[in-house]
Amino acid sequence: MTQPETVVVYNFRTLEGGREFTHLLPFKATREAIEKVFGGSVLEGTGQQVERTELDESGRYRRVATGWGELD
């Protein structure tokens, strides 16, 4: 049985409104999407491995809140 393909997603920030107004977005994304789609800066140290199937078409990953259930 093969393992699902995984990718690393990161938190990041953008400079919407200028340098003095950094904006932290409420989702993680792949490094490529952060740089090419969102024009942001990766926050190193926030990497998380997820299955590629958990990304949307723009490379975004949103963790699904599970209440008291398992988080992974």
Side-chain angles (χ1 to χ4, degrees), residues 5-13 25 27-44 46-62:
E5 183 182 359
T6 61
V7 295
V8 179
V9 292
Y10 300 89
N11 286 107
F12 64 101
R13 65 177 164 230
L25 292 146
F27 54 87
K28 290 185 174 185
T30 62
R31 185 178 295 275
E32 180 181 14
I34 291 168
E35 294 169 357
K36 294 182 179 174
V37 177
F38 303 107
S41 307
V42 171
L43 295 175
E44 299 296 344
T46 64
Q48 175 184 351
Q49 249 185 338
V50 299
E51 291 182 18
R52 183 173 289 282
T53 58
E54 296 183 81
L55 302 178
D56 69 9
E57 62 279 348
S58 296
R60 288 182 287 221
Y61 168 75
R62 293 182 190 268

Side-chain angles (χ1 to χ4, degrees), residues 13-28:
R13 65 177 164 230
T14 63
L15 298 176
E16 292 179 8
R19 285 202 180 281
E20 54 281 338
F21 299 107
T22 60
H23 184 69
L24 184 63
L25 292 146
F27 54 87
K28 290 185 174 185

